[in-house]
Amino acid sequence: MLKSIVASVLVFVGLAHSETPPGFTPEAVAHLDVIFGTKAVSPPGTSLTKADTQKQPTIGTSDTILNGTYPWLMMDLDVPASFTNPSAGPRRTNLHAMITGFKSTGQKTETGINTLTSTATGPVKYVGPAPPAETPPHAHRYVELLFETNATFTVPQSYVQQTLGFDLQAFVQKAGLAPPVRGNWFNVTG
Ligand SMILES: *[C@@H]1O[C@H](CO)[C@@H](O)[C@H](O)[C@H]1NC(C)=O
Ligand SMILES: *[C@@H]1O[C@H](CO)[C@@H](O)[C@H](O)[C@H]1NC(C)=O
């Protein structure tokens, strides 16, 4: 009885604190701190500008130190089918970064974030958001995810070569990844 109450409370808390956009799968329920210069992506879904987000952000965690090695990715969910005629078809994804080898730096920022860093810059180098202007304006959602991996993990290259239309579900399945350990997201409007 107590167990099932605890379980339902946990499920409730998990749903109430999703760190990925509504309906997004695989969902992340634990917060990844993402800081662009002095601007923290907090709460998840915060609006930022193109200028804010052109440099790769600092990432980390406030609640604990992560002791593993993690790939991190960022993707746009809202690329229009056609820049001249956005309603020509369904919106697509674009992979803006896929960087492996993130590890704890052992350091904290002034605001108490245990930072993660990587010496890698790929396999997909960070590209800042550049959503096109649309009428009416359309906010693009940019999702950041951190995955748990083991020593045998390698990025299935063929899944990240073409960044436009990046298929996260297929990638996760091919790489044998569990749901992301951390996530966050923000909006930029062109
Ligand atoms: C990482 O290691 C530190 C020090 O041993 C520990 O306090 C922390 O809980 C560990 N983090 C996780 C996520 O297990
Ligand atoms: C590492 O992870 C992959 C994919 O999740 C899995 O197939 C493999 O068995 C794991 N290897 C070890 C040594 O745990």
Side-chain angles (χ1 to χ4, degrees):
M1 176 67 178
L2 184 59
K3 261 189 190 162
S4 72
I5 291 173
V6 171
S8 12
V9 168
L10 287 178
V11 166
F12 176 73
V13 169
L15 289 175
H17 291 261
S18 184
E19 301 291 336
T20 40
F24 181 87
T25 54
E27 185 187 22
V29 295
H31 186 70
L32 178 70
D33 285 285
V34 176
I35 309 114
F36 287 99
T38 56
K39 299 208 174 170
V41 179
S42 177
T46 291
S47 293
L48 296 173
T49 65
K50 280 188 209 180
D52 289 337
T53 51
Q54 292 313 296
K55 278 197 182 157
Q56 187 179 320
T58 298
I59 62 170
T61 51
S62 307
D63 53 322
T64 187
I65 296 171
L66 297 181
N67 299 310
T69 305
Y70 309 86
W72 171 78
L73 69 80
M74 181 169 118
M75 61 190 291
D76 182 354
L77 306 184
D78 297 294
V79 180
S82 151
F83 282 15
T84 48
N85 180 14
S87 59
R91 286 177 186 269
R92 294 174 290 174
T93 62
N94 190 29
L95 185 60
H96 277 255
M98 163 90 62
I99 297 172
T100 55
F102 274 93
K103 286 182 193 216
S104 170
T105 59
Q107 315 237 301
K108 265 185 199 235
T109 65
E110 279 167 19
T111 54
I113 295 161
N114 302 293
T115 52
L116 294 163
T117 191
S118 174
T119 54
T121 54
V124 177
K125 202 173 175 208
Y126 182 81
V127 174
E134 290 182 40
T135 313
H138 191 95
H140 286 219
R141 296 162 296 164
Y142 295 86
V143 181
E144 298 81 59
L145 302 172
L146 196 70
F147 288 94
E148 186 104 60
T149 56
N150 61 29
T152 64
F153 173 78
T154 52
V155 171
Q157 291 293 335
S158 63
Y159 288 73
V160 300
Q161 252 145 27
Q162 167 82 35
T163 59
L164 191 61
F166 172 65
D167 186 342
L168 177 65
Q169 267 83 22
F171 170 81
V172 160
Q173 196 174 28
K174 178 69 181 173
L177 296 173
V181 286
R182 299 275 162 165
N184 201 345
W185 64 287
F186 60 90
N187 291 306
V188 179
T189 303

